[in-house]
Amino acid sequence: MIAVYILLGLFVLVFALSYLIMRIACGRNDRYTKNFDKMLDTKIYADCKDLIVQGKQWFDTQKPQQVQTCSFDGLRLAGEFIPCENARATILMFHGWNASPETDFGAGLPYYQSLGLNLLLVHQRAQGKSEGKFMTFGVRERHDVHTWVAWHKERFGDLPILLAGLSMGASTVLMAGGRAFDPLVKGVIADCGFTSPYEIIHSVVRSLELPAKPITALIGMQTRLFAGFGLKEYSTLEAMKTFTLPVLLVHGEDDTFVPCDMSKAAYEACTSKDKTYLCVPKATHGKSFVVQPEEYRTALRNFVSRCLN
């Protein structure tokens, strides 16, 4: 009987720990997104804080329009729209895990607009100003991409659309390509995305020198029970099998959070006839624009021109 109690206690402990890890990975966390300055004081922004602050100042002077739509599962999704005079298209921008549009895209926002693009900065579900309890690492977010495309079409008619994402946002826009886009969507930019929820969580757990397979399996059980999605439910690589739009994949060579091999795998799996992979030496996670701004701008300019011409 004592052995049974010990086993039961171990089970409860393991269940509780895996639930806690799942909540950290997938649960809503507004601690930083509600405090922009506090977010920038974290270590990951130390080498680009000034650029992001400048971008945020530019963003605020544009007085962005607060917009919203409703997801397929009833969540209020929020975004901010910055118009461009005589716009050629609108770029829909999807930020990453526990981040915000200003932190992930702030350094480059003026340049994107200089290309003749309206900016629609999306707050991903369970983050920022959007509703939701759990992030799903692109599994449900991919449907939100199509929702925002429909929102844009309803308001702006046949104005072309480009999609951009960074980190989890990159995986989101690539996964969205597993379902046929509206013809108004002309191209996708994906910076440092991961291949699947399972692979990125497995990679992070392994980097902590923990037993990756059993822990990832337990986390997957918890996401099924409480967040409503499976870690192996969908992947970027699955979407790439039928991807036909022009795509620009970018990744920092020194990214230790999302290994650059994940973007390489997406590139190799992609069936589009117009695909480009830009690997940026010495760039860590999400820092390619900061490390090689001229090369990044050139790649963006060429890609946007190709998509819209």
Side-chain angles (χ1 to χ4, degrees):
M1 183 63 76
I2 294 176
V4 172
Y5 285 135
I6 291 173
L7 288 174
L8 182 61
L10 286 173
F11 174 80
V12 171
L13 178 62
V14 169
F15 186 89
L17 285 175
S18 61
Y19 175 77
L20 177 62
I21 295 171
M22 185 278 295
R23 285 300 303 252
I24 293 171
C26 304
R28 185 179 192 101
N29 182 354
D30 293 324
R31 180 175 51 174
Y32 292 123
T33 54
K34 286 186 176 180
N35 189 327
F36 185 77
D37 292 333
K38 187 175 182 179
M39 176 179 277
L40 288 188
D41 285 336
T42 56
K43 184 179 179 180
I44 59 173
Y45 298 111
D47 57 349
C48 58
K49 179 177 178 178
D50 292 343
L51 285 173
I52 295 176
V53 169
Q54 291 171 17
K56 179 65 162 62
Q57 291 171 344
W58 178 88
F59 173 84
D60 291 338
T61 61
Q62 304 306 303
K63 298 181 179 179
Q65 303 169 21
Q66 303 299 311
V67 297
Q68 64 180 44
T69 187
C70 184
S71 72
F72 74 97
D73 52 353
L75 297 178
R76 181 182 61 81
L77 302 176
E80 286 142 341
F81 182 78
I82 299 175
C84 174
E85 189 174 357
N86 300 317
R88 304 162 62 194
T90 298
I91 186 164
L92 280 56
M93 311 179 85
F94 294 79
H95 64 79
W97 178 82
N98 269 346
S100 71
E102 298 99 315
T103 52
D104 280 0
F105 298 106
L109 289 178
Y111 184 73
Y112 280 99
Q113 192 188 60
S114 76
L115 296 175
L117 305 175
N118 296 323
L119 310 179
L120 176 57
L121 307 177
V122 172
H123 290 245
Q124 294 237 57
R125 62 169 54 215
Q127 299 190 68
K129 298 177 182 178
S130 289
E131 291 182 341
K133 293 182 179 180
F134 294 101
M135 297 172 276
T136 68
F137 287 76
V139 172
R140 291 192 176 184
E141 289 86 349
R142 74 187 197 271
H143 302 303
D144 299 338
V145 175
H146 292 276
T147 297
W148 279 111
V149 168
W151 175 92
H152 184 274
K153 184 175 183 179
E154 182 179 336
R155 285 154 183 78
F156 300 101
D158 59 359
L159 187 67
I161 295 169
L162 296 171
L163 303 175
L166 187 139
S167 191
M168 192 182 81
S171 299
T172 294
V173 295
L174 292 177
M175 287 185 192
R179 167 183 156 195
F181 283 119
D182 187 284
L184 290 175
V185 180
K186 303 301 183 183
V188 177
I189 302 160
D191 188 332
C192 63
F194 50 78
T195 46
S196 73
Y198 179 87
E199 290 296 335
I200 186 57
I201 290 178
H202 183 274
S203 177
V204 171
V205 173
R206 186 174 56 191
S207 73
L208 298 174
E209 299 184 353
L210 296 172
K213 284 189 176 181
I215 290 178
T216 306
L218 287 169
I219 295 171
M221 177 186 69
Q222 298 288 2
T223 63
R224 284 281 188 190
L225 287 172
F226 297 101
F229 78 102
L231 296 184
K232 295 184 178 181
E233 184 173 334
Y234 202 66
S235 73
T236 294
L237 301 185
E238 184 67 25
M240 292 296 95
K241 293 177 182 178
T242 57
F243 207 91
T244 58
L245 284 177
V247 60
L248 170 61
L249 295 159
V250 183
H251 217 115
E253 199 172 66
D254 291 350
D255 191 339
T256 56
F257 184 57
V258 179
C260 63
D261 286 348
M262 292 194 178
S263 282
K264 290 179 184 176
Y267 176 82
E268 291 169 1
C270 182
T271 56
S272 173
K273 294 180 180 179
D274 184 347
K275 59 180 182 178
T276 303
Y277 175 56
L278 174 63
C279 182
V280 180
K282 299 181 180 180
T284 56
H285 187 64
K287 303 294 178 58
S288 294
F289 188 93
V290 176
V291 172
Q292 290 286 356
E294 290 307 316
E295 186 177 5
Y296 204 118
R297 288 188 183 101
T298 298
L300 282 175
R301 183 173 64 250
N302 292 340
F303 183 76
V304 169
S305 295
R306 207 160 65 242
C307 291
L308 299 184
N309 288 340

